[in-house]
Amino acid sequence: MSLSRRQFIQASGLALCAGTVPLRAEASGMPTPLPVPPLLESRRGQPLFLTLQRAHWAFMDNRKASVWGVNGMYLGPTVRVYNGDDVKLIYSNRLAEPVSMTISGLQAPGTLMGGAPRMMSPNVDWSPVIPVRQAAATCWYHANTPNRMAPHVYNGLAGLWLVEDEISKNLPLPNHYGVDDFPLIIQDKRLDNFGTPEYDPPSQGGFIGDTLLVNGVQNPFIEVSRGWVRLRLLNASNSRRYSLQLSDGRPINVIASDQGFLPAPVAVQQLSLAPGERREVLIDMSQGAEVTLTAGEAAGIMDRLRGLFEPSSMLVSTQVLTLKPTGLLPLVTDNLPMRLLADQLLDGNVSRSREFRLGDKMAGINGAIWDMNRIDVQTMQGTWERWTIHADTPQAFHIQGVQFLVKRVNGAQPMAEDRGWKDTVWVDGDVELLVYFNQVSSEHFPFLFYSQTLEMADRGSTGQFVVQASA
């Protein structure tokens, strides 16, 4: 970037006083208690109400901004359901424009996947009954309004959807919500001087902000006991991928991916989190030392100064969460279990292979823009397919209503933490997936596959597929 003479003088003056006057983006550098979304649980057939509406939220300095959210807050409550339940949801759209909602990671038929066939006009409800028939997993619900998914998720229409089962209830893992088991919804935004989110999508690629938010706040902390702490991580950013690590170098123990537990815990020093991806991790706090989970390198002073004149892609702060141990006795003191799943993950015989090339500068998949009247893939329930995904511009890729195993990443074995069941994957070059189609869909209610760079999905990097019932 070249600066004009006036801009140079302006920047020089700002640099001189940078030590005493914080820049706008540092105004909320004070630690904030982590907001823990309220927990909604399915019990005895009682419906769960999710009302999409305007709300007010302070992203910095107690300056409340107008946002969207669910049930009167920014983002939404955490929904917890149990394998075997039949859950009645009542979505109510109290916003001024049409919205559709989906649950990414849900293993259910196409009729329950939301999207264009389930658009809710203002003041209209949608009341699906969700049969929960899947293993324990951290999923998420969010807007998937055709051509408007990116701004609707950015505005705040997102929340966690937790599935529990007998295995998850009986494993010696932290599972007391808000005590030793915490949801972390990670996003990047751009805030103006009044703390109001700005959204100006680029003509190419996806939106990148300079302010890191976790559950809607900057630099959060949480007080925890001196034992194992479980974090359920969701990257709800429009396009940014994060590389997470702990400030003192202690390991991050990965126990689950998008579709549930890994076969065994995996200890890593760095953990990638792509848009739409979920991971569950355990942090050992038994030694009593404070630690901060971070997301890469923060912007330096010159990067921040440049950000005054043009949008910056660097985060001013990369602090995700500071864990502060207290004298409280831990609820879980067991050693990390050696196994999380009794059986190894099995794959099956591939019925056919397909290739998909994701657009980079120009949106589309295999050169075609999304057409709601066109079915791109037809397949059969209960079959396996090999899908090879190509992307010259790195981006995440999601498939509705399926589970897949990552078999190859640019010809090599996937990282150990990526060897569980997934539905979202980062693509930088070539990724080979083994996809299992367990759920049915139809031409009226097709499943979608799309770039998880949400602006690209809105511009047409989306396809539709039908899974026919097995005989």
Side-chain angles (χ1 to χ4, degrees):
M1 180 193 78
S2 61
L3 297 180
S4 69
R5 184 171 180 273
R6 172 187 275 181
Q7 287 175 329
F8 178 79
I9 294 170
Q10 212 174 348
S12 300
L14 284 164
L16 286 172
C17 59
T20 55
V21 181
L23 297 177
R24 187 280 305 159
E26 284 191 305
S28 289
M30 294 298 292
T32 306
L34 177 75
V36 177
L39 185 65
L40 279 185
E41 292 194 87
S42 61
R43 294 186 185 279
R44 295 177 185 167
Q46 293 295 313
L48 300 180
F49 293 91
L50 298 174
T51 302
L52 319 177
Q53 60 191 139
R54 286 191 170 275
H56 288 89
W57 187 264
F59 293 105
M60 70 182 207
D61 297 340
N62 296 317
R63 303 180 186 185
K64 293 216 166 172
S66 178
V67 294
W68 290 8
V70 183
N71 293 4
M73 58 184 287
Y74 177 69
L75 300 175
T78 298
V79 175
R80 185 161 67 189
V81 301
Y82 295 86
N83 186 22
D85 285 356
D86 292 294
V87 179
K88 182 169 186 179
L89 289 181
I90 300 180
Y91 290 110
S92 300
N93 181 14
R94 300 299 177 259
L95 296 163
E97 62 182 272
V99 177
S100 64
M101 298 291 291
T102 193
I103 303 167
S104 282
L106 182 69
Q107 296 294 300
T111 52
L112 301 173
M113 279 298 163
R118 299 296 191 185
M119 192 83 81
M120 292 173 281
S121 299
N123 298 311
V124 168
D125 297 351
W126 176 40
S127 304
V129 176
I130 309 288
V132 181
R133 307 290 186 267
Q134 64 188 101
T138 293
C139 307
W140 68 302
Y141 64 92
H142 60 90
N144 70 334
T145 316
N147 308 315
R148 298 284 292 160
M149 180 161 55
H152 286 187
V153 170
Y154 186 83
N155 285 348
L157 297 184
L160 281 184
W161 174 279
L162 311 182
V163 180
E164 301 289 355
D165 64 7
E166 287 302 314
I167 292 175
S168 69
K169 285 193 287 187
N170 291 319
L171 280 171
L173 298 173
N175 61 4
H176 299 85
Y177 182 82
V179 178
D180 57 10
D181 183 353
F182 299 98
L184 298 186
I185 300 177
I186 305 173
Q187 301 169 294
D188 60 338
K189 287 206 187 308
R190 191 176 305 284
L191 303 177
D192 67 14
N193 291 329
F194 302 99
T196 299
E198 299 177 317
Y199 180 69
D200 183 17
S203 58
Q204 297 177 349
F207 175 90
I208 297 284
D210 61 5
T211 302
L212 184 66
L213 299 175
V214 179
N215 295 359
V217 301
Q218 301 178 55
N219 304 312
F221 73 90
I222 195 78
E223 293 185 340
V224 296
S225 61
R226 296 190 179 192
W228 289 108
V229 175
R230 182 179 187 174
L231 305 178
R232 297 177 187 256
L233 306 167
L234 160 65
N235 182 351
S237 302
N238 284 32
S239 71
R240 183 189 286 275
R241 182 197 195 202
Y242 300 98
S243 181
L244 306 175
Q245 59 188 52
L246 291 168
S247 55
D248 62 2
R250 77 180 75 175
I252 300 171
N253 299 282
V254 188
I255 59 169
S257 189
D258 306 322
Q259 285 286 320
F261 289 121
L262 299 176
V266 177
V268 299
Q269 295 299 125
Q270 285 193 322
L271 180 65
S272 69
L273 193 67
E277 201 171 30
R278 292 89 64 205
R279 297 192 190 271
E280 296 178 37
V281 303
L282 295 184
I283 312 293
D284 184 2
M285 299 299 295
S286 61
Q287 299 305 306
E290 181 178 303
V291 70
T292 299
L293 183 66
T294 63
E297 292 293 318
I301 184 65
M302 290 310 296
D303 295 309
R304 296 179 204 163
L305 290 170
R306 288 190 191 98
L308 296 174
F309 305 108
E310 61 182 22
S312 172
S313 63
M314 297 197 68
L315 293 170
V316 172
S317 168
T318 59
Q319 293 186 19
V320 176
L321 179 68
T322 299
L323 297 165
K324 296 176 178 282
T326 66
L328 296 173
L329 291 174
L331 296 169
V332 175
T333 56
D334 304 58
N335 291 327
L336 197 62
M338 295 295 291
R339 298 286 302 171
L340 296 166
L341 294 176
D343 301 318
Q344 288 287 346
L345 301 179
L346 300 175
D347 51 40
N349 295 320
V350 172
S351 62
R352 69 171 294 171
S353 297
R354 305 180 194 267
E355 295 198 12
F356 301 90
R357 182 169 293 278
L358 305 181
D360 44 23
K361 291 185 178 180
M362 299 296 291
I365 299 179
N366 290 346
I369 298 292
W370 181 27
D371 181 348
M372 293 183 206
N373 298 312
R374 183 188 70 235
I375 299 301
D376 300 283
V377 170
Q378 297 257 10
T379 189
M380 293 292 295
Q381 183 184 19
T383 61
W384 297 80
E385 292 188 358
R386 179 182 291 108
W387 284 25
T388 303
I389 318 299
H390 308 272
D392 293 329
T393 298
Q395 57 197 288
F397 178 74
H398 172 70
I399 313 176
Q400 283 186 342
V402 307
Q403 296 175 299
F404 60 68
L405 299 172
V406 180
K407 302 303 286 184
R408 290 281 186 275
V409 178
N410 294 321
Q413 289 280 336
M415 304 288 278
E417 63 268 26
D418 287 330
R419 293 180 192 169
W421 288 109
K422 294 179 61 60
D423 54 56
T424 304
V425 66
W426 183 251
V427 185
D428 183 0
D430 295 342
V431 175
E432 182 184 313
L433 310 176
L434 199 58
V435 185
Y436 181 61
F437 301 93
N438 187 41
Q439 302 294 328
V440 296
S441 63
S442 65
E443 290 192 10
H444 293 297
F445 297 99
F447 289 132
L448 302 179
F449 53 90
Y450 53 84
S451 170
Q452 196 67 50
T453 295
L454 299 184
E455 287 78 13
M456 294 295 286
D458 283 348
R459 293 184 204 120
S461 289
T462 301
Q464 301 190 136
F465 66 102
V466 167
V467 183
Q468 296 175 349
S470 53

